[in-house]
Structure formats: structure tokens, C-alpha cells
């Protein structure tokens, strides 16, 4: 019975030891797993450390390169510091120059303020002058209105005078026709006078031939008288007295010669006298015709609404010149008016 009682106890012990062994095995397995995990972690950390060592080596090399660069940079910085010192000195000089420029600028600002005050004063003066100019302009406008009224009155008077001029022009045309007829009659008289002059010239030539023959007779008588003084025989000649009879009438022809000479210029004056009378008549008619055409053109331009106030004075001067007998001036002024009107029409 003791053996039977001891066997369950052993079984329990064995079971307990087996379970304990299983627990220890499980703990060992877990510990092995932890060790494997630690080993893997250590391997990874070792790899990280190797990588860090390589990185540190690269960084050390980089630091060495950067150290060299720092040395070079320090040298350049030293140079830059020297340059900065020089620049600082230059800046001090520039600062002094800028101070002087600031002083000049302040003086200029002061001058500008004074100029602005002067400009404001001039503006006030200009405003006053502009107001005065406006007042004067209004006075001029009123004056122009008065002048326009006077111009209208003058135009009415001018139209009246124009009608009178037309009447005078018609009368002048009639007189021109009469002067033309008179000119034709004077031309006929001139031809008759020319024939008479030719006849008188022929008579004058005949008288000149007679005078030459008388002079030859006088020379002959002088020769005979000289021969009579030479000898007594020649003194008995009574022929000279009958020969003296022709010289007596020969002395009378010289008075007719001046008469003929005096009559000859008279026809010349008669020929010249109609010419000055004829020219003024024709010139006056031409001047009247030209002035009439200029006045008609001026009226047409005025009726069309054009500004022809300046041409009115020119027409007035032309009319005064015509009345004073200055026909060339009247024609010239009327021609200027016609040319101005024609050029204005071409421009339009």
C-alpha cells in the first residue's frame, strides 16, 4: 500500500517537474527569441553605426574642405573689411558732400518758396488784368455792334451810290460811243491833214529850189560887180539893175518860208492834240467798265454771305481815283478786287 501511495506522489512530482521543465523551456524559447531580436537589433545598430561612421568620415572630409574654404573666405573677408574701411572713408566724404548738397537744396527750397509767392502774386495780377481785358473785350464787342450798324447804313448808301454809278456808266457808254465817232472823224481829218502836209512839203521843196536859184543869181551879181571894179569898160554895163529886180522879190520869199515853217508845226500839234484827248476818253471808259465789273462782283460775293468789308475801302479808293482823273490807279484797284474775289472762289 505504501508503494501504491508513493507512486502518485512521484507521478505528481514528475508531472510538476515536467511542467516546470516545459515552463523553463518556454522561458528559454522566449529568451532565445529575445536574444535573436536583440541580435538582430544589434546587427541593425551595428550597421547604423557603420553607416554613421562612414557618414562621419565623409562629414570630416567635408569639414576639412569647408575649413579650407573658411580660410579662403576669411582671407576674402579680410579683403572685404579693408574694402569696407575704404568705402567707409568714401562714405564719410560722400556724407560731407551730401550735407553740402542738402544745404544747397535747403537754399533752393527757400528760393522756390519765394518764387512760389511771386507766382501767386503774379497770378493775382494776371487775374486782375484778365478781368480788365474782359471788360475791354465787352467794350470792343459793343463797338463792333455799333460798327456793324454803321456798316449796314453805309451799305445802303453804297447801294444808292451804286445805282447812281450805273446811271453814270450808261451815260459814259453813250459818251464813249460819241467819242468813238469823234475819233473816226478826227482820223479822217488826220488823213486829210496828212495830204495837205504832203502838199505843203512839196511847195516847200519848190520854194527851196527857187531860193537856191536866187542865191546863185546873187553870187553871179557879186562876181559881175567885182569884174566891173576891175576895168572901166565893164563899168558901162547897166545889166545889174535889171538883175537886181529878181533879188527884190527874192528877199520877200524868206518871210513866207517862216510862214510855211510855222504852218507845218501847227498841223503836227493838231495831230497830237486829239491823241491826248482820245486816250483819256478811252482810259476813263476802261476804268469805269473795270470798276463797274468789280462792284458787281463785290455785290454777288456780299449776297453769297462772304466777308467783303476790306474790299469796300478798295472800291472807295478806286472811285475817288476815277473822280480825280487817276484812271490807271482806278483800274489797278478794281483789278485787285477782281483778283481777290476770283482767288477766293478758286479756293472754295
Amino acid at each position: 500500500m505504501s508503494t501504491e501511495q508513493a507512486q502518485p506522489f512521484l507521478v505528481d512530482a514528475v508531472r510538476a517537474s515536467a511542467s516546470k521543465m516545459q515552463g523553463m523551456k518556454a522561458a528559454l524559447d522566449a529568451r532565445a527569441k529575445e536574444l535573436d531580436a536583440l541580435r538582430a537589433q544589434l546587427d541593425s545598430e551595428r550597421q547604423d553605426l557603420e553607416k554613421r561612421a562612414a557618414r562621419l568620415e565623409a562629414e570630416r572630409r567635408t569639414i576639412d574642405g569647408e575649413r579650407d574654404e573658411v580660410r579662403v573666405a576669411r582671407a576674402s573677408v579680410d579683403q572685404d573689411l579693408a574694402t569696407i574701411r575704404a568705402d567707409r572713408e568714401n562714405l564719410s566724404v560722400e556724407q560731407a558732400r551730401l550735407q553740402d548738397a542738402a544745404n544747397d537744396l535747403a537754399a533752393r527750397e527757400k528760393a522756390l518758396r519765394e518764387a512760389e509767392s511771386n507766382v501767386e502774386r503774379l497770378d493775382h495780377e494776371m487775374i486782375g488784368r484778365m478781368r480788365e481785358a474782359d471788360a475791354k473785350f465787352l467794350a470792343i464787342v459793343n463797338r463792333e455792334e455799333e460798327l456793324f450798324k454803321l456798316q449796314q447804313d453805309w451799305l445802303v448808301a453804297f447801294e444808292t451810290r451804286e445805282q447812281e454809278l450805273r446811271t453814270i456808266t450808261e451815260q459814259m457808254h453813250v459818251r464813249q460811243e460819241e467819242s468813238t465817232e469823234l475819233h473816226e472823224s478826227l482820223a479822217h481829218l488826220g488823213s486829210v491833214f496828212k495830204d495837205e502836209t504832203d502838199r505843203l512839203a512839196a511847195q516847200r521843196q519848190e520854194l527851196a529850189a527857187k531860193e537856191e536859184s536866187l542865191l546863185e543869181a546873187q553870187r553871179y551879181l557879186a562876181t559881175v560887180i567885182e569884174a566891173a571894179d576891175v576895168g572901166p569898160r565893164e563899168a558901162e554895163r547897166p545889166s545889174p539893175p535889171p538883175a537886181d529886180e529878181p533879188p527884190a522879190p527874192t528877199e520877200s520869199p524868206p518871210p513866207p518860208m517862216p510862214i510855211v515853217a510855222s504852218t507845218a508845226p501847227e498841223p503836227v500839234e493838231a495831230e497830237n492834240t486829239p491823241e491826248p484827248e482820245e486816250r483819256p476818253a478811252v482810259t476813263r471808259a476802261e476804268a469805269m467798265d473795270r470798276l463797274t465789273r468789280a462792284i458787281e462782283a463785290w455785290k454777288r460775293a456780299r449776297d453769297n454771305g462772304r466777308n467783303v468789308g476790306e474790299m469796300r475801302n478798295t472800291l472807295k479808293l478806286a472811285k475817288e481815283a476815277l473822280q480825280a482823273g487817276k484812271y490807271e490807279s482806278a483800274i489797278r484797284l478794281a483789278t485787285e478786287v477782281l483778283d481777290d474775289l476770283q482767288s477766293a472762289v478758286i479756293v472754295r
Side-chain angles (χ1 to χ4, degrees):
M1 288 196 49
S2 60
T3 55
E4 289 178 1
Q5 291 179 353
Q7 287 179 352
F9 179 76
L10 290 172
V11 172
D12 292 333
V14 170
R15 288 179 180 176
S17 62
S19 61
K20 187 175 181 180
M21 288 295 290
Q22 288 178 354
M24 290 177 66
K25 185 178 181 180
L28 289 173
D29 292 334
R31 185 66 178 170
K33 290 178 180 180
E34 290 178 358
L35 289 174
D36 291 333
L38 288 173
R39 185 179 296 161
Q41 185 178 359
L42 288 173
D43 291 334
S44 62
E45 288 179 356
R46 184 172 57 81
Q47 291 176 357
D48 292 335
L49 288 174
E50 289 177 356
K51 290 179 180 179
R52 287 181 182 180
R55 191 181 298 117
L56 288 173
E57 184 66 22
E59 288 178 356
R60 186 179 63 78
R61 293 176 183 175
T62 304
I63 288 169
D64 292 335
E66 289 178 354
R67 186 178 295 169
D68 295 334
E69 291 177 358
V70 166
R71 289 175 184 173
V72 175
R74 183 177 293 174
S76 64
V77 166
D78 293 335
Q79 292 179 358
D80 292 337
L81 287 173
T83 305
I84 288 169
R85 292 190 188 94
D87 292 337
R88 186 176 294 171
E89 293 177 357
N90 293 328
L91 284 173
S92 61
V93 175
E94 289 292 331
Q95 187 175 2
R97 189 174 62 81
L98 287 173
Q99 187 65 31
D100 296 335
N103 295 329
D104 294 337
L105 184 60
R108 290 183 181 179
E109 287 179 354
K110 185 177 180 181
L112 285 173
R113 292 191 190 94
E114 293 177 355
E116 287 177 355
S117 62
N118 293 328
V119 168
E120 290 178 357
R121 181 175 56 80
L122 291 174
D123 287 337
H124 291 299
E125 292 179 358
M126 288 297 295
I127 290 169
R129 291 182 181 178
M130 289 177 68
R131 290 175 181 173
E132 293 177 358
D134 291 335
K136 291 180 180 179
F137 180 74
L138 292 174
I140 290 170
V141 170
N142 296 327
R143 182 65 177 173
E144 286 183 354
E145 290 178 355
E146 294 177 358
L147 289 174
F148 182 72
K149 292 179 181 179
L150 292 174
Q151 184 178 4
Q152 289 181 349
D153 296 336
W154 188 85
L155 286 174
V156 173
F158 185 77
E159 289 177 355
T160 305
R161 295 299 299 274
E162 187 177 0
Q163 292 177 358
E164 294 177 358
L165 283 174
R166 287 181 180 176
T167 306
I168 294 170
T169 304
E170 293 175 356
Q171 294 177 359
M172 290 299 297
H173 281 300
V174 174
R175 291 182 181 179
Q176 184 178 2
E177 292 176 356
E178 293 177 356
S179 64
T180 304
E181 294 177 357
L182 181 61
H183 178 67
E184 292 176 355
S185 63
L186 287 174
H188 179 67
L189 290 174
S191 62
V192 174
F193 181 75
K194 185 177 180 182
D195 296 336
E196 187 67 21
T197 304
D198 294 336
R199 186 178 62 79
L200 291 174
Q203 291 180 359
R204 183 177 179 181
Q205 290 178 358
E206 292 177 359
L207 290 173
K210 289 180 180 180
E211 186 177 1
E212 289 179 358
S213 63
L214 289 173
L215 290 173
E216 290 178 358
Q218 287 178 358
R219 286 194 294 271
Y220 177 73
L221 288 174
T223 306
V224 171
I225 291 169
E226 290 177 358
D229 292 334
V230 173
R233 294 179 181 178
E234 295 178 356
E236 295 177 356
R237 292 182 181 179
S239 57
D244 293 333
E245 293 177 359
T250 57
E251 293 177 357
S252 59
M257 291 298 291
I259 293 171
V260 174
S262 62
T263 54
E266 289 178 358
V268 175
E269 292 179 358
E271 288 179 355
N272 293 330
T273 50
E275 291 179 359
E277 292 178 359
E278 181 181 355
R279 288 180 182 175
V282 174
T283 306
R284 182 178 177 83
E286 291 178 356
M288 182 64 70
D289 187 13
R290 188 67 58 84
L291 182 59
T292 303
R293 285 191 294 166
I295 292 171
E296 290 176 356
W298 177 82
K299 285 184 67 178
R300 287 194 298 271
R302 184 198 61 188
D303 295 335
N304 291 329
R306 289 180 52 196
N307 186 8
V308 292
E310 296 180 356
M311 298 179 185
R312 188 184 304 111
N313 296 326
T314 306
L315 291 173
K316 186 176 180 181
L317 293 174
K319 180 182 176 183
E320 292 176 357
L322 180 64
Q323 292 177 354
K326 298 178 181 179
Y327 305 125
E328 294 179 357
S329 299
I331 290 173
R332 179 176 56 79
L333 294 172
T335 304
E336 289 179 358
V337 173
L338 290 172
D339 292 337
D340 292 338
L341 293 173
Q342 186 176 3
S343 63
V345 171
I346 292 172
V347 170
R348 292 180 63 185

